[in-house]
Amino acid sequence: MTISRLFRGIGALVSRRIVTSSRTKEPVPWVVGAASEAVKAKFPVGVTVSGFRVKEVQDISELYLTAVRLEHVATGADYLHIARDDPTNTFCVGFRTTPMDSTGVPHILEHTVLCGSKRYPCSDPFMKMLNRSLSTFMNAMTGSDFTIYPFSTQHPVDFRNLMSVYLDAVFHPNLTELDFLQEGWRLEHEDVNNRSSPLVFKGVVFNEMKGVFADSQQLFSQKLQNGILPSHTYGVVYGGDPLCIPELTWDHLKHFHAHHYHPSNARFYTYGDMPLEDHLSFIDDNYLSKFTRIDPSTTVPEEPGWSEPREAHINCGKDPMASPDAQNSIAVSYKLINVVDNFENFVLEILGQLLMSGPNAPFYESLLEPQLGSSFSPSSGYDGHTRNTTFTVGLQGVKDADLGTVKSAIEDTFKRLAETGFPRERVEAILHSIELSVKHEKSSFGLGLAMNLAPIWNLDSDPVDALQINRNITQFRKCLESNPTFLQEKIKKYFLNNTHKYTLTMSPTSDYELNLQNKENELLAKQVTSLTEEDRARIWELGQTLRQKQEAKQDISCLPTLHVSDISRKIAPTLVTDVSVSGVPVQACDQPTNGITYFNAVLDAQHVPERLQPLVPVLCGVLTRMGAGHFDFRSFDQEVELKTGGLNVNTVITPHPVESNKYEQGIQVSSHCLNHKLNDMFDLWALIFNEVKLDDLQRFGTLVKMIATNQANSLVFHGHRYAMTASAATTNPVSALTEKWSGLTCLSYMKELSEMEDLGPVLEQLKELAGLLLSRECMRVAINSTPEYHDGALKNFEGFLSKLDGTPRGTSPFTCVSSEFTPHTSRNHQIFPFPINFASKSYAGVCYAHPDAGPLRLLARLMFKFLHKEIREKGGAYGGGANSTAGAAYSFYSYRDPNSTKTLATFDAAVEWVLSGGFNETDVSEAKLGVFQSVDAPVSPGSKGSRRFLSHISDELFADHRRSILDAQPQDLIRVARTYLRDASIEGGCLIGPKNEDLENDPFWSTVSN
Ligand SMILES: [Zn+2]
């Protein structure tokens, strides 16, 4: 896995949402509690515990935590512990990894250390542990100068198991040649069993990076960083340039490991309510005490300043989803400060948001509103995670003729701002959003913190200091008060008078992909022609050995594991009350929300006529961004930022949990705010409901273009989701609607809109649609708030309702009956100019309450074992698996896959593997643990009760579903595989990828050009 930009600065420190799972214990209100008291008693500054000396102990009251900083005396390893009364504990070990070439060595190393270690010599212990744990998160990531290995779990035994596997992987990996060949790159016969088939490049990272750079915006971001900070490690492609990866040798990989994955270059992070002393003694006894200190020489120097700005131009492939005459990208980057200056980093983070975020931002006004481009380029904004931080402003979707205009608009905007500065309300709005994000509790707080701190701590910036958000805000306010031109001076210093400035432009050429392929072919030919007979024999041998190793039955008994009996049979009841407020059904849930109220409403859309249906996602995309009442879109956005954490609108399609032919379709509106701003928040919603401004054609056009661009960009990232949605669409009505509202169908509809000359008629239809949806007629609501504010929240809501039209109908939400839907078999190849494929096959599923829903969910997890091996390890794809969605479909998928028809055949083989009993009871137990990571996913206080509210799943149904998974036997899995997959009469298929002769000639497949 690779990441280029994990997150942005301190403003985003606690606001990033990371997908996790599994909270079984109830959260407690955050106070500096028992965990903090315990560390303060046992770890005064200066004491040494298990070889670690305590350097600093600091309470951070706004985050309800105590930070303890330690150093391992013998090796110099750095350690940060965050004590907090949170049962979801997190561990992370990270290393500063500073490659000086583009062979992708840190990235390939990240993959390879997870292929087996001294104590855990089986292949891929990391992946195997996914099935032997109840972790809520397990992953590994490579950034441009660091590599981190984080996990989270609530179980003490699980924590110890995972820590042991992680530490053994990073400090004592086997790093065998076969692992290197499998994960990195190798020459191998195209058909590994046919010696006369041509030699080709294979390897997981090799293919992964081809996939990454198939996205031209990724390419652009990479080249931009290389260009602005060229002299050291940021000047290379840390993930690996596919044309350079084949230069990497196994020896170089081992050498890189020895220097970088050493305790003297390591940072350990633990978080939660488990005792620190246990962590320290385990780490020291088993690992650190066996090392002596080295100088890892991984210091990243500051980038030498330039006396003149620089410019460069690159090419990319054409984007079939974007308008053909507006496909250029342009960005201007500025080198800023040394990242160790925490306060200046904080100031620049705020400045970055002021410049870029929301419709009031000056660059929004000067670049997006005149439609100089379709949206900001992905690297835009402040990046405070490299040795020298950078700020970038850029656009994608720019016409040739506008490139010069963009450049001067950027310069003019800075000039204007140096004169005028920013309105005080804008600054207040940004500060409010930071304060609110601090209070808004996530279910994965410890993990978010680890990921946010990793990049700056990695560069020796003080991580404890960076947590002092309130102190930084106070200091920032003081600066503004004592110097009214504080921010203007920053603009002059960092932008107008900064000669370290890099302008990059990118334009598509029609032969880009061909050229790239030619270069790869040349490289291949060069390597192949230089081979001796001996080399060839060895390649053949290695190919065979690797295949045998991949196919060999593995003994993984060396790995620690939890057991199915560790999964609780009891569930925590959802404590909610149902009330009726002015006839509208409300689910009220009292939670320790840190003084925040969460509002959620679903508005039924079943009465929307067919002709307006495609516009439902469009309405969701623009509704809160057009302005309302006496506010234009800019001032409305300002109000939203000042009073709430944002107003969200999205589509909802919920299958009935019990009746298989019914579903709910509608839109969900949701938001949260501080309790004392609830009245203001409802006033804003009332304006949206009653007086939304759906008449600004220019504004609408801008938004449509932005949405279309974002969706098109998401295709190469989420291609497997698009493929699954498309393949499931003909098998059941819920997936059919999902395809219409968020699948490829929606994507091409948005493209069509973005190219329309006159959007007037569309806007008229949108008004009609808004009139049908925005009332209290078909509304149901959930409100989560603190117990003491329960009544206040409901009273405010009542006030909001009194301003709305309509009479609440109080009908059942499942008004859609799918009698008109006829399931049928359909297989489509959607042609896109990617060098890789996304394949999917789908079958109709069963409703949530059906006794087979649990076994099907388990089956998908069980099949992952087979599919991962075939599609990733052998096939060289980035990933593959199966998903079972109750009330919708059972779908297979592959992700960034060099294969197409072969993978489609692998999906069938997975079914046969199950039917022939290719698995054992341990596999089933492991699948159960795996499924429960998501079944028991932790839920934050603001989202408590959402299973009941959004999915209509009662505690009773939930308990039954859990039981049906826990009790499932191997024969149940065989039975459901036969009934729902092999014997299914209806099947859906979708392949997203380049032209494919096999499918063109296949009478069962149709081809769609895009
Ligand atoms: Zn990777």
Side-chain angles (χ1 to χ4, degrees):
M1 287 135 249
T2 133
I3 37 162
S4 49
R5 298 161 62 83
L6 268 175
F7 22 58
R8 290 258 166 77
I10 297 310
L13 189 67
V14 287
S15 66
R16 179 129 326 224
R17 192 176 172 82
I18 291 146
V19 181
T20 63
S21 49
S22 189
R23 162 166 272 160
T24 47
K25 296 179 209 166
E26 284 298 296
V28 288
W30 297 122
V31 287
V32 173
S36 286
E37 296 308 330
V39 289
K40 282 194 278 189
K42 287 182 192 153
F43 296 90
V45 172
V47 304
T48 301
V49 182
S50 296
F52 285 90
R53 194 172 50 84
V54 181
K55 287 164 62 184
E56 184 185 2
V57 179
Q58 181 78 50
D59 282 333
I60 312 276
S61 60
E62 63 263 41
L63 297 173
Y64 310 98
L65 59 84
T66 299
V68 184
R69 190 88 186 273
L70 307 101
E71 184 186 10
H72 189 253
V73 179
T75 62
D78 206 347
Y79 197 114
L80 173 65
H81 176 71
I82 304 288
R84 197 166 188 256
D85 284 0
D86 184 346
T88 307
N89 284 251
T90 299
F91 170 88
C92 181
V93 57
F95 304 95
R96 193 188 290 144
T97 44
T98 49
M100 297 302 288
D101 60 45
S102 297
T103 59
V105 56
H107 182 192
I108 293 171
L109 184 60
E110 173 229 300
H111 280 242
T112 323
V113 301
L114 301 175
C115 288
S117 63
K118 203 161 133 194
R119 198 162 169 189
Y120 305 112
C122 61
S123 87
D124 212 350
F126 187 79
M127 271 305 192
K128 308 281 179 334
M129 282 308 287
L130 279 176
N131 295 325
R132 298 166 80 88
S133 145
L134 284 169
S135 69
T136 59
F137 184 89
M138 277 182 73
N139 216 333
M141 293 113 170
T142 313
S144 52
D145 56 9
F146 65 92
T147 308
I148 53 171
Y149 296 82
F151 71 78
S152 297
T153 182
Q154 298 196 324
H155 295 252
V157 176
D158 202 21
F159 192 95
R160 177 57 49 84
N161 290 349
L162 290 170
M163 187 158 69
S164 175
V165 171
Y166 269 57
L167 290 174
D168 213 59
V170 298
F171 290 121
H172 302 303
N174 289 335
L175 297 185
T176 68
E177 184 176 23
L178 287 181
D179 295 337
F180 166 66
L181 297 175
Q182 175 180 285
E183 297 298 320
W185 75 277
R186 64 187 182 276
L187 280 175
E188 194 176 272
H189 290 280
E190 191 165 31
D191 173 357
V192 71
N193 293 318
N194 178 1
R195 208 166 174 167
S196 57
S197 67
L199 288 171
V200 294
F201 287 129
K202 292 185 186 173
V204 174
V205 171
F206 179 78
N207 281 314
E208 183 190 339
M209 295 314 295
K210 273 173 77 169
V212 167
F213 291 127
D215 174 0
S216 51
Q217 293 305 319
Q218 286 269 337
L219 177 73
F220 189 72
S221 296
Q222 178 66 60
K223 294 293 174 195
L224 199 63
Q225 184 175 66
N226 296 157
I228 183 75
L229 304 170
S231 71
H232 198 261
T233 192
Y234 307 117
V236 306
V237 182
Y238 65 93
D241 176 342
L243 293 174
C244 300
I245 290 173
E247 287 163 22
L248 184 67
T249 63
W250 178 36
D251 276 339
H252 185 66
L253 183 84
K254 288 187 285 188
H255 182 79
F256 192 88
H257 174 265
H259 277 77
H260 290 80
Y261 282 37
H262 188 281
S264 303
N265 190 41
R267 282 158 196 84
F268 294 88
Y269 168 93
T270 48
Y271 164 92
D273 64 358
M274 293 178 194
L276 172 60
E277 55 273 29
D278 293 357
H279 303 331
L280 296 180
S281 69
F282 182 85
I283 294 171
D284 183 57
D285 290 352
N286 293 285
Y287 294 96
L288 298 195
S289 58
K290 316 224 172 351
F291 286 86
T292 47
R293 192 187 283 255
I294 62 162
D295 174 7
S297 316
T298 52
T299 307
V300 182
E302 282 206 62
E303 183 70 35
W306 301 345
S307 53
E308 293 287 330
R310 298 179 189 177
E311 296 198 3
H313 179 82
I314 57 169
N315 290 325
C316 64
K318 282 204 150 79
D319 180 356
M321 297 310 287
S323 126
D325 65 336
Q327 298 207 5
N328 299 288
S329 294
I330 175 168
V332 184
S333 253
Y334 301 82
K335 182 193 90 165
L336 305 177
I337 58 164
N338 187 332
V339 69
V340 295
D341 188 344
N342 266 326
F343 178 67
E344 196 68 358
N345 208 3
F346 179 79
V347 172
L348 285 167
E349 174 63 31
I350 292 179
L351 187 59
Q353 290 194 37
L354 283 168
L355 289 166
M356 303 297 293
S357 141
N360 287 293
F363 282 116
Y364 192 102
E365 285 174 45
S366 65
L367 299 178
L368 288 179
E369 253 169 64
Q371 302 197 358
L372 289 170
S374 58
S375 86
F376 287 130
S377 59
S379 294
S380 291
Y382 179 62
D383 182 354
H385 296 128
T386 38
R387 166 57 67 208
N388 284 108
T389 67
T390 57
F391 175 83
T392 299
V393 50
L395 282 180
Q396 53 180 312
V398 182
K399 294 190 175 119
D400 290 345
D402 287 337
L403 284 169
T405 320
V406 174
K407 263 202 246 178
S408 45
I410 291 172
E411 197 66 17
D412 292 347
T413 307
F414 280 131
K415 278 185 191 149
R416 179 170 60 77
L417 289 169
E419 296 302 316
T420 60
F422 299 91
R424 188 61 199 243
E425 311 86 74
R426 276 276 294 150
V427 180
E428 285 305 322
I430 304 254
L431 291 176
H432 170 258
S433 71
I434 295 173
E435 282 168 288
L436 190 61
S437 76
V438 169
K439 284 179 178 282
H440 173 58
E441 186 66 40
K442 296 336 155 298
S443 58
S444 55
F445 184 89
L447 181 67
L449 214 56
M451 307 261 263
N452 281 301
L453 291 176
I456 58 162
W457 183 22
N458 178 61
L459 291 164
D460 297 326
S461 180
D462 184 343
V464 180
D465 195 49
L467 290 172
Q468 309 264 12
I469 297 167
N470 281 0
R471 195 191 64 195
N472 281 336
I473 291 179
T474 309
Q475 193 181 342
F476 180 75
R477 285 190 194 282
K478 268 193 201 140
C479 291
L480 282 185
E481 270 147 35
S482 61
N483 177 6
T485 60
F486 179 68
L487 290 171
Q488 281 145 271
E489 286 163 21
K490 300 284 176 203
I491 299 273
K492 279 183 199 143
K493 176 176 171 193
Y494 291 123
F495 304 112
L496 291 177
N497 301 329
N498 186 350
T499 49
H500 198 123
K501 167 177 156 182
Y502 182 69
T503 306
L504 183 67
T505 47
M506 177 173 79
S507 54
T509 54
S510 48
D511 54 0
Y512 178 80
E513 280 93 4
L514 190 68
N515 279 340
L516 205 62
Q517 191 56 53
N518 285 343
K519 279 185 193 158
E520 187 188 319
N521 294 345
E522 278 165 33
L523 186 69
L524 181 67
K526 214 172 117 196
Q527 291 227 1
V528 170
T529 46
S530 68
L531 295 174
T532 62
E533 269 317 302
E534 213 174 299
D535 295 334
R536 285 177 176 271
R538 187 167 147 72
I539 285 169
W540 166 255
E541 280 302 313
L542 281 170
Q544 291 297 308
T545 318
L546 185 58
R547 176 51 50 106
Q548 280 156 14
K549 189 185 164 210
Q550 287 164 341
E551 277 169 2
K553 199 128 188 89
Q554 287 194 29
D555 178 13
I556 56 168
S557 57
C558 60
L559 289 173
T561 186
L562 287 185
H563 300 280
V564 175
S565 57
D566 290 318
I567 301 169
S568 167
R569 287 254 162 191
K570 288 197 193 110
I571 59 163
T574 310
L575 300 173
V576 298
T577 42
D578 287 316
V579 292
S580 169
V581 178
S582 311
V584 170
V586 178
Q587 171 185 299
C589 185
D590 295 341
Q591 288 290 323
T593 59
N594 288 336
I596 296 179
T597 296
Y598 295 81
F599 166 69
N600 253 296
V602 173
L603 310 170
D604 192 272
Q606 58 95 23
H607 54 293
V608 170
E610 192 62 34
R611 67 190 165 82
L612 295 178
Q613 290 271 350
L615 282 168
V616 172
V618 183
L619 183 70
C620 292
V622 305
L623 188 60
T624 59
R625 301 158 79 183
M626 297 289 292
H630 55 285
F631 295 112
D632 65 9
F633 68 87
R634 268 191 221 105
S635 47
F636 188 78
D637 189 75
Q638 178 99 341
E639 289 296 302
V640 169
E641 259 196 319
L642 274 169
K643 286 159 185 168
T644 77
L647 305 182
N648 312 302
V649 187
N650 48 275
T651 57
V652 171
I653 307 164
T654 313
H656 196 295
V658 181
E659 293 177 59
S660 58
N661 63 336
K662 287 186 176 173
Y663 59 95
E664 177 184 31
Q665 65 174 50
I667 65 172
Q668 180 192 3
V669 303
S670 61
S671 57
H672 65 268
C673 66
L674 297 168
N675 288 347
H676 70 269
K677 298 205 175 186
L678 189 58
N679 197 27
D680 295 335
M681 183 175 91
F682 279 132
D683 280 349
L684 292 173
W685 276 123
L687 283 175
I688 290 281
F689 273 63
N690 296 330
E691 298 173 64
V692 61
K693 286 185 188 292
L694 290 175
D695 42 22
D696 183 341
L697 209 50
Q698 165 145 20
R699 173 67 181 159
F700 183 57
T702 308
L703 288 176
V704 164
K705 279 205 170 63
M706 279 169 64
I707 295 169
T709 305
N710 292 341
Q711 282 192 355
N713 286 346
S714 73
L715 185 58
V716 75
F717 271 106
H718 303 300
H720 61 312
R721 284 194 213 151
Y722 283 101
M724 279 193 279
T725 306
S727 75
T730 60
T731 70
N732 72 89
V734 166
S735 300
L737 186 59
T738 310
E739 167 63 24
K740 217 187 274 177
W741 280 2
S742 61
L744 287 170
T745 310
C746 177
L747 209 132
S748 49
Y749 181 65
M750 285 312 300
K751 185 189 176 207
E752 209 177 290
L753 290 189
S754 71
E755 287 168 0
M756 264 184 196
E757 289 288 320
D758 178 14
L759 280 169
V762 179
L763 208 45
E764 284 308 310
Q765 287 185 316
L766 215 56
K767 275 187 208 168
E768 190 186 344
L769 178 62
L772 288 171
L773 285 175
L774 302 176
S775 81
R776 55 180 186 175
E777 248 178 74
C778 306
M779 178 191 276
R780 53 190 199 84
V781 169
I783 293 177
N784 286 24
S785 192
T786 41
E788 60 277 13
Y789 195 62
H790 177 108
D791 294 343
L794 291 180
K795 214 172 156 45
N796 270 304
F797 175 63
E798 193 177 8
F800 164 61
L801 280 184
S802 71
K803 293 176 189 151
L804 303 191
D805 291 337
T807 311
R809 284 197 211 150
T811 50
S812 144
F814 296 101
T815 36
C816 293
V817 181
S818 50
S819 54
E820 282 147 47
F821 180 85
T822 319
H824 58 282
T825 291
S826 164
R827 301 180 187 92
N828 282 304
H829 176 211
Q830 298 276 352
I831 299 184
F832 285 92
F834 303 148
I836 33 86
N837 297 286
F838 302 93
S840 178
K841 235 182 202 193
S842 298
Y843 303 89
V846 295
C847 64
Y848 187 85
H850 193 287
D852 288 339
L856 277 168
R857 196 167 173 182
L858 191 59
L859 178 68
R861 185 68 197 197
L862 177 75
M863 281 185 170
F864 176 75
K865 189 183 173 98
F866 178 87
L867 295 165
H868 178 80
K869 186 171 181 179
E870 296 296 320
I871 296 175
R872 177 164 160 137
E873 289 176 9
K874 291 194 205 165
Y878 190 77
N883 256 351
S884 176
T885 310
Y890 188 100
S891 298
F892 292 97
Y893 66 90
S894 74
Y895 187 70
R896 293 187 177 165
D897 188 351
N899 299 305
S900 53
T901 47
K902 196 172 142 199
T903 297
L904 292 166
T906 301
F907 297 154
D908 296 338
V911 179
E912 292 310 316
W913 174 74
V914 172
L915 293 181
S916 66
F919 59 97
N920 57 32
E921 298 228 2
T922 311
D923 295 332
V924 177
S925 302
E926 290 186 356
K928 286 180 185 175
L929 285 167
V931 167
F932 269 86
Q933 291 163 8
S934 55
V935 170
D936 286 347
V939 180
S940 62
S943 303
K944 280 275 170 190
S946 63
R947 179 174 60 229
R948 182 178 186 268
F949 177 69
L950 286 177
S951 309
H952 306 278
I953 296 169
S954 64
D955 284 351
E956 204 182 353
L957 279 180
F958 180 56
D960 287 347
H961 183 71
R962 287 176 93 257
R963 215 173 296 126
S964 77
I965 300 169
L966 283 169
D967 295 339
Q969 298 299 314
Q971 61 268 27
D972 296 320
L973 300 175
I974 293 175
R975 181 178 52 78
V976 296
R978 183 180 300 121
T979 311
Y980 299 100
L981 308 180
R982 198 189 59 189
D983 294 348
S985 53
I986 304 293
E987 175 190 308
C990 177
L991 182 82
I992 294 176
K995 271 175 87 70
N996 188 311
E997 275 177 24
D998 288 348
L999 292 185
E1000 258 167 55
N1001 301 322
D1002 188 330
F1004 296 109
W1005 282 75
S1006 56
T1007 299
V1008 185
S1009 299
N1010 286 288

